[in-house]
């Protein structure tokens, strides 16, 4: 009987496949399969947000789509989210649609920049947002689907379909989902959201304009100066990430630097001095642009205008690894519980 049902094309699996094929044909997906948003599921997701479905979170460029809670819920369901994720998604979209965040430029440029989300506070544990081993990789539903919901909203609300409004030359796998939480338990300093003026018990999400990504290996057991020199060598000036640096310090190096007596400010200032490259290494037009933007002098090009543009957080699992992300312009929002 089950085989006959499948052959007749009315099995659950077949219906899901039809839903995916239809969504793909309409341009509603990122290319991956989606979960069809039923009215019952949408109502459940809206309720989990703690807001009315008609509440307008913002108007998303370039198509000027209205990002209501109900529409956001539809995209969250398609992304594979659980309804408990809705407050995080709504808060992240609030940050993305702040007038000071370059969302419209991000949606239409040829550069593959994309939002990066950093989650802080008790919500990390509650929703199991990975902040430890493999936190930027596969295997974690919250990380994979919350990040993916951002992209689906950017496509379906903002209209950033590749080759239509989005003119990105190559694209990037980071555009599928780019998110992790901070490893506050193994952070010997204050968490990122506390540095930005929020309470330790607040749950927040910070949205960065991000592009370049580099995993930095090595520097174990060589002392703080060499650890920071190793990091700085891997964070040269790069076009498209010129509004700051997000350094995700691995737990090994964070502990080593802390034991050596360094504060976060010490690290920012040392990296700011070390992450400089001779002007002669760059095309003159690029060097002149960077220097004109306050990221260099007559001799060198800097990675950031000041130590304040080097943002620090602790993440990941054991090992002599750090992650450098060309990222800046952070927008932090409190995650409201339903």
């Amino acid at each position: 009987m089950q085989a006959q049902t499948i052959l007749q094309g009315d099995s659950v699996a077949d219906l899901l496949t039809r839903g995916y094929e239809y969504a793909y044909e309409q341009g509603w997906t990122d290319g991956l399969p989606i979960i069809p948003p039923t009215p019952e599921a949408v109502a459940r997701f809206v309720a989990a947000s703690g807001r009315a479905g008609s509440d307008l979170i913002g108007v998303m460029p370039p198509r000027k789509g209205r990002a209501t809670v109900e529409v956001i819920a539809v995209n969250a369901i398609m992304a594979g989210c659980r309804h408990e994720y809705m407050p995080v998604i709504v808060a992240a979209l609030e940050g993305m649609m702040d007038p000071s965040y370059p969302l419209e430029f991000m949606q239409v440029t040829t550069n593959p920049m994309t939002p990066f989300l950093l989650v802080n506070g008790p919500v990390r544990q509650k929703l199991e947002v990975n902040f430890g081993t493999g936190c930027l990789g596969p295997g974690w539903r919250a990380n994979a689907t919350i990040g993916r919901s951002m992209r689906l909203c950017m496509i379906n609300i903002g209209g950033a379909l590749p080759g239509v409004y989005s003119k990105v030359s190559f694209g990037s796998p980071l555009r599928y989902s780019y998110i992790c939480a901070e490893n506050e338990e193994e952070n010997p300093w204050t968490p990122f959201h506390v540095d930005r003026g929020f309470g330790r018990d607040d749950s927040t999400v910070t949205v960065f304009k991000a592009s370049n990504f580099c995993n930095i290996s090595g520097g174990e057991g060589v002392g703080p100066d060499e650890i920071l020199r190793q990091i700085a060598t891997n964070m040269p000036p790069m076009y498209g990430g010129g509004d700051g640096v997000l350094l995700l310090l691995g737990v090994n190096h964070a502990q080593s630097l802390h034991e050596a007596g360094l504060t976060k400010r010490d690290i920012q200032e040392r990296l700011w001095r070390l992450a400089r490259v001779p002007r002669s290494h760059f095309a003159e037009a690029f060097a002149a642009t960077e220097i004109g933007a306050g990221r260099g002098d007559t001799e060198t090009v800097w990675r950031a205008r000041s130590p304040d543009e080097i943002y620090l957080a602790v993440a990941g699992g054991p090992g002599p690894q750090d992650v450098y992300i060309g990222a800046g312009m952070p927008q932090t929002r409190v995650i409201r519980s339903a």
Side-chain angles (χ1 to χ4, degrees):
M1 178 65 71
Q2 185 177 6
Q4 183 179 4
T5 301
I6 293 173
L7 290 173
Q8 289 175 347
D10 57 2
S11 70
V12 172
D14 195 63
L15 290 173
L16 287 171
T17 300
R18 289 187 199 175
Y20 166 55
E21 295 292 350
Y22 183 77
Y24 183 76
E25 290 168 2
Q26 302 304 308
W28 296 341
T29 82
D30 52 6
L32 296 173
I34 56 94
I35 303 297
T38 64
E40 295 79 12
V42 172
R44 186 167 62 251
F45 274 61
V46 169
S49 74
R51 304 172 186 242
S54 59
D55 281 0
L56 180 65
I57 304 304
V59 177
M60 185 173 286
R63 194 166 59 190
K64 310 302 182 187
R66 290 173 56 81
T68 64
V69 170
E70 183 178 56
V71 172
I72 293 166
V74 168
N75 286 277
I77 294 165
M78 290 199 298
C81 292
R82 295 172 56 188
H83 64 274
E84 294 95 332
Y85 303 164
M86 274 294 288
V88 181
I89 295 166
V90 170
L93 288 169
E94 286 178 330
M96 281 175 55
M97 287 185 279
D98 187 280
S100 64
Y101 188 83
L103 181 57
E104 182 157 19
F105 180 58
M106 182 181 292
Q107 291 276 67
V108 300
T109 180
T110 57
N111 185 289
M113 60 183 65
T114 190
F116 172 77
L117 275 57
L118 181 68
V119 180
N120 279 97
V123 74
R124 301 167 307 124
Q125 299 279 10
K126 180 180 178 182
L127 300 183
E128 298 182 340
V129 184
N130 189 10
F131 52 77
T133 300
C135 63
L136 290 176
W140 298 89
R141 182 175 180 178
N143 299 54
T145 62
I146 292 173
R148 187 187 182 199
S149 71
M150 297 295 104
R151 178 55 52 188
L152 291 185
C153 285
M154 293 168 77
I155 292 172
N156 294 320
I157 303 175
L161 285 165
V164 183
Y165 283 113
S166 176
K167 302 299 183 181
V168 60
S169 298
F170 287 90
S172 167
L174 303 176
R175 287 185 151 214
Y176 282 102
S177 181
Y178 204 14
I179 171 179
C180 73
E182 182 167 18
N183 190 340
E184 298 178 22
E185 287 72 11
E186 297 186 88
N187 181 350
W189 303 288
T190 52
F192 182 81
H193 68 311
V194 174
D195 295 339
R196 290 182 64 79
F198 296 89
R200 186 179 287 269
D201 292 332
D202 288 333
S203 290
T204 67
V205 59
T206 301
V207 185
F208 292 84
K209 167 204 166 192
S211 52
N212 310 300
F213 171 98
C214 178
N215 190 87
I216 304 170
S217 298
E220 189 75 347
V222 295
D225 291 337
E226 288 305 297
I227 288 174
L228 294 178
R229 191 176 300 279
Q230 173 77 357
I231 292 171
T233 300
N234 288 276
M235 46 184 284
M238 296 185 191
Y239 177 77
D243 297 296
V245 171
L246 172 61
L247 180 63
L248 299 178
L249 279 170
V251 295
N252 289 35
H253 287 165
Q255 190 61 40
S256 296
L257 295 170
H258 180 259
E259 289 175 354
L262 271 65
T263 65
K264 279 188 176 181
R265 188 63 183 181
D266 294 331
I267 296 170
Q268 288 173 307
E269 291 178 350
R270 292 195 190 187
L271 289 176
W272 183 63
R273 292 194 299 269
L274 288 169
R276 301 185 179 195
V277 180
R279 178 173 178 157
S280 59
H281 285 205
F282 299 96
E284 183 55 36
F286 174 81
T289 299
E290 293 297 286
I291 291 168
R295 292 187 288 267
D297 53 32
T298 57
E299 301 295 329
T300 58
V301 176
W302 314 340
R303 187 58 194 85
R305 279 180 285 259
S306 75
D308 295 330
E309 287 190 346
I310 299 175
Y311 304 99
L312 300 178
V314 176
Q321 311 291 331
D322 308 288
V323 167
Y324 147 80
I325 301 172
M329 309 180 79
Q331 292 290 328
T332 304
R333 295 292 185 275
V334 171
I335 298 167
R336 292 169 40 178
S337 58

